[in-house]
PDB file of all heavy atoms in Angstrom:
ATOM      1  N   LEU A 651      31.251  -9.209 -15.739  1.00  0.00           N
ATOM      2  CA  LEU A 651      30.338 -10.312 -15.993  1.00  0.00           C
ATOM      3  C   LEU A 651      30.527 -11.394 -14.951  1.00  0.00           C
ATOM      4  O   LEU A 651      31.652 -11.721 -14.570  1.00  0.00           O
ATOM      5  CB  LEU A 651      30.587 -10.887 -17.381  1.00  0.00           C
ATOM      6  CG  LEU A 651      30.332  -9.938 -18.555  1.00  0.00           C
ATOM      7  CD1 LEU A 651      30.698 -10.616 -19.857  1.00  0.00           C
ATOM      8  CD2 LEU A 651      28.905  -9.482 -18.568  1.00  0.00           C
ATOM      9  N   ALA A 652      29.428 -11.964 -14.485  1.00  0.00           N
ATOM     10  CA  ALA A 652      29.502 -12.970 -13.430  1.00  0.00           C
ATOM     11  C   ALA A 652      30.312 -14.173 -13.872  1.00  0.00           C
ATOM     12  O   ALA A 652      31.078 -14.753 -13.107  1.00  0.00           O
ATOM     13  CB  ALA A 652      28.093 -13.390 -13.008  1.00  0.00           C
ATOM     14  N   GLY A 653      30.166 -14.570 -15.124  1.00  0.00           N
ATOM     15  CA  GLY A 653      30.909 -15.723 -15.638  1.00  0.00           C
ATOM     16  C   GLY A 653      32.396 -15.479 -15.638  1.00  0.00           C
ATOM     17  O   GLY A 653      33.188 -16.358 -15.300  1.00  0.00           O
ATOM     18  N   GLU A 654      32.826 -14.263 -15.992  1.00  0.00           N
ATOM     19  CA  GLU A 654      34.241 -13.952 -16.010  1.00  0.00           C
ATOM     20  C   GLU A 654      34.814 -13.934 -14.597  1.00  0.00           C
ATOM     21  O   GLU A 654      35.922 -14.386 -14.351  1.00  0.00           O
ATOM     22  CB  GLU A 654      34.459 -12.600 -16.690  1.00  0.00           C
ATOM     23  CG  GLU A 654      34.117 -12.619 -18.165  1.00  0.00           C
ATOM     24  CD  GLU A 654      34.340 -11.257 -18.804  1.00  0.00           C
ATOM     25  OE1 GLU A 654      34.695 -10.327 -18.060  1.00  0.00           O
ATOM     26  OE2 GLU A 654      34.177 -11.149 -20.023  1.00  0.00           O
ATOM     27  N   ALA A 655      34.053 -13.371 -13.636  1.00  0.00           N
ATOM     28  CA  ALA A 655      34.530 -13.338 -12.249  1.00  0.00           C
ATOM     29  C   ALA A 655      34.711 -14.749 -11.704  1.00  0.00           C
ATOM     30  O   ALA A 655      35.686 -15.049 -11.013  1.00  0.00           O
ATOM     31  CB  ALA A 655      33.562 -12.544 -11.382  1.00  0.00           C
ATOM     32  N   ALA A 656      33.751 -15.627 -12.002  1.00  0.00           N
ATOM     33  CA  ALA A 656      33.854 -17.003 -11.522  1.00  0.00           C
ATOM     34  C   ALA A 656      35.044 -17.713 -12.153  1.00  0.00           C
ATOM     35  O   ALA A 656      35.756 -18.467 -11.496  1.00  0.00           O
ATOM     36  CB  ALA A 656      32.551 -17.744 -11.826  1.00  0.00           C
ATOM     37  N   SER A 657      35.306 -17.501 -13.414  1.00  0.00           N
ATOM     38  CA  SER A 657      36.440 -18.139 -14.086  1.00  0.00           C
ATOM     39  C   SER A 657      37.746 -17.675 -13.478  1.00  0.00           C
ATOM     40  O   SER A 657      38.677 -18.458 -13.281  1.00  0.00           O
ATOM     41  CB  SER A 657      36.395 -17.804 -15.584  1.00  0.00           C
ATOM     42  OG  SER A 657      35.199 -18.305 -16.145  1.00  0.00           O
ATOM     43  N   ALA A 658      37.832 -16.355 -13.165  1.00  0.00           N
ATOM     44  CA  ALA A 658      39.063 -15.845 -12.556  1.00  0.00           C
ATOM     45  C   ALA A 658      39.292 -16.487 -11.188  1.00  0.00           C
ATOM     46  O   ALA A 658      40.419 -16.823 -10.823  1.00  0.00           O
ATOM     47  CB  ALA A 658      38.987 -14.332 -12.427  1.00  0.00           C
ATOM     48  N   ALA A 659      38.219 -16.661 -10.423  1.00  0.00           N
ATOM     49  CA  ALA A 659      38.355 -17.290  -9.103  1.00  0.00           C
ATOM     50  C   ALA A 659      38.776 -18.748  -9.220  1.00  0.00           C
ATOM     51  O   ALA A 659      39.568 -19.245  -8.424  1.00  0.00           O
ATOM     52  CB  ALA A 659      37.044 -17.166  -8.329  1.00  0.00           C
ATOM     53  N   ASP A 660      38.267 -19.468 -10.216  1.00  0.00           N
ATOM     54  CA  ASP A 660      38.623 -20.874 -10.399  1.00  0.00           C
ATOM     55  C   ASP A 660      40.075 -21.021 -10.804  1.00  0.00           C
ATOM     56  O   ASP A 660      40.754 -21.974 -10.418  1.00  0.00           O
ATOM     57  CB  ASP A 660      37.719 -21.501 -11.454  1.00  0.00           C
ATOM     58  CG  ASP A 660      36.286 -21.619 -10.963  1.00  0.00           C
ATOM     59  OD1 ASP A 660      36.083 -21.560  -9.730  1.00  0.00           O
ATOM     60  OD2 ASP A 660      35.368 -21.743 -11.813  1.00  0.00           O
ATOM     61  N   ARG A 661      40.582 -20.047 -11.583  1.00  0.00           N
ATOM     62  CA  ARG A 661      41.953 -20.158 -12.068  1.00  0.00           C
ATOM     63  C   ARG A 661      42.960 -19.927 -10.943  1.00  0.00           C
ATOM     64  O   ARG A 661      44.053 -20.472 -10.963  1.00  0.00           O
ATOM     65  CB  ARG A 661      42.202 -19.142 -13.180  1.00  0.00           C
ATOM     66  CG  ARG A 661      41.547 -19.521 -14.501  1.00  0.00           C
ATOM     67  CD  ARG A 661      42.123 -18.690 -15.625  1.00  0.00           C
ATOM     68  NE  ARG A 661      41.924 -17.251 -15.394  1.00  0.00           N
ATOM     69  CZ  ARG A 661      40.869 -16.582 -15.844  1.00  0.00           C
ATOM     70  NH1 ARG A 661      39.940 -17.216 -16.526  1.00  0.00           N
ATOM     71  NH2 ARG A 661      40.749 -15.281 -15.595  1.00  0.00           N
ATOM     72  N   ALA A 662      42.639 -19.097  -9.973  1.00  0.00           N
ATOM     73  CA  ALA A 662      43.588 -18.792  -8.897  1.00  0.00           C
ATOM     74  C   ALA A 662      42.886 -18.864  -7.549  1.00  0.00           C
ATOM     75  O   ALA A 662      42.647 -17.850  -6.902  1.00  0.00           O
ATOM     76  CB  ALA A 662      44.202 -17.414  -9.105  1.00  0.00           C
ATOM     77  N   PRO A 663      42.548 -20.063  -7.083  1.00  0.00           N
ATOM     78  CA  PRO A 663      41.777 -20.154  -5.834  1.00  0.00           C
ATOM     79  C   PRO A 663      42.571 -19.770  -4.601  1.00  0.00           C
ATOM     80  O   PRO A 663      42.007 -19.327  -3.625  1.00  0.00           O
ATOM     81  CB  PRO A 663      41.359 -21.632  -5.800  1.00  0.00           C
ATOM     82  CG  PRO A 663      42.394 -22.330  -6.627  1.00  0.00           C
ATOM     83  CD  PRO A 663      42.817 -21.383  -7.675  1.00  0.00           C
ATOM     84  N   ASP A 664      43.908 -19.986  -4.606  1.00  0.00           N
ATOM     85  CA  ASP A 664      44.705 -19.741  -3.402  1.00  0.00           C
ATOM     86  C   ASP A 664      45.522 -18.467  -3.472  1.00  0.00           C
ATOM     87  O   ASP A 664      46.213 -18.130  -2.512  1.00  0.00           O
ATOM     88  CB  ASP A 664      45.660 -20.931  -3.165  1.00  0.00           C
ATOM     89  CG  ASP A 664      44.873 -22.214  -2.973  1.00  0.00           C
ATOM     90  OD1 ASP A 664      43.783 -22.136  -2.372  1.00  0.00           O
ATOM     91  OD2 ASP A 664      45.364 -23.266  -3.422  1.00  0.00           O
ATOM     92  N   SER A 665      45.516 -17.832  -4.590  1.00  0.00           N
ATOM     93  CA  SER A 665      46.338 -16.634  -4.736  1.00  0.00           C
ATOM     94  C   SER A 665      45.559 -15.405  -4.301  1.00  0.00           C
ATOM     95  O   SER A 665      44.394 -15.473  -3.958  1.00  0.00           O
ATOM     96  CB  SER A 665      46.783 -16.474  -6.195  1.00  0.00           C
ATOM     97  OG  SER A 665      45.637 -16.337  -7.018  1.00  0.00           O
ATOM     98  N   ASP A 666      46.271 -14.285  -4.311  1.00  0.00           N
ATOM     99  CA  ASP A 666      45.615 -13.031  -3.986  1.00  0.00           C
ATOM    100  C   ASP A 666      44.549 -12.731  -5.017  1.00  0.00           C
ATOM    101  O   ASP A 666      44.638 -13.173  -6.166  1.00  0.00           O
ATOM    102  CB  ASP A 666      46.646 -11.893  -3.968  1.00  0.00           C
ATOM    103  CG  ASP A 666      47.626 -12.081  -2.818  1.00  0.00           C
ATOM    104  OD1 ASP A 666      47.237 -12.738  -1.839  1.00  0.00           O
ATOM    105  OD2 ASP A 666      48.765 -11.573  -2.940  1.00  0.00           O
ATOM    106  N   PRO A 667      43.558 -11.978  -4.606  1.00  0.00           N
ATOM    107  CA  PRO A 667      42.495 -11.660  -5.564  1.00  0.00           C
ATOM    108  C   PRO A 667      43.052 -10.950  -6.790  1.00  0.00           C
ATOM    109  O   PRO A 667      43.890 -10.055  -6.677  1.00  0.00           O
ATOM    110  CB  PRO A 667      41.556 -10.737  -4.764  1.00  0.00           C
ATOM    111  CG  PRO A 667      41.851 -11.046  -3.331  1.00  0.00           C
ATOM    112  CD  PRO A 667      43.298 -11.411  -3.281  1.00  0.00           C
TER     113      PRO A 667
END
Side-chain angles (χ1 to χ4, degrees):
L651 297 177
E654 293 180 357
S657 299
D660 291 341
R661 286 195 301 268
D664 300 325
S665 61
D666 293 335

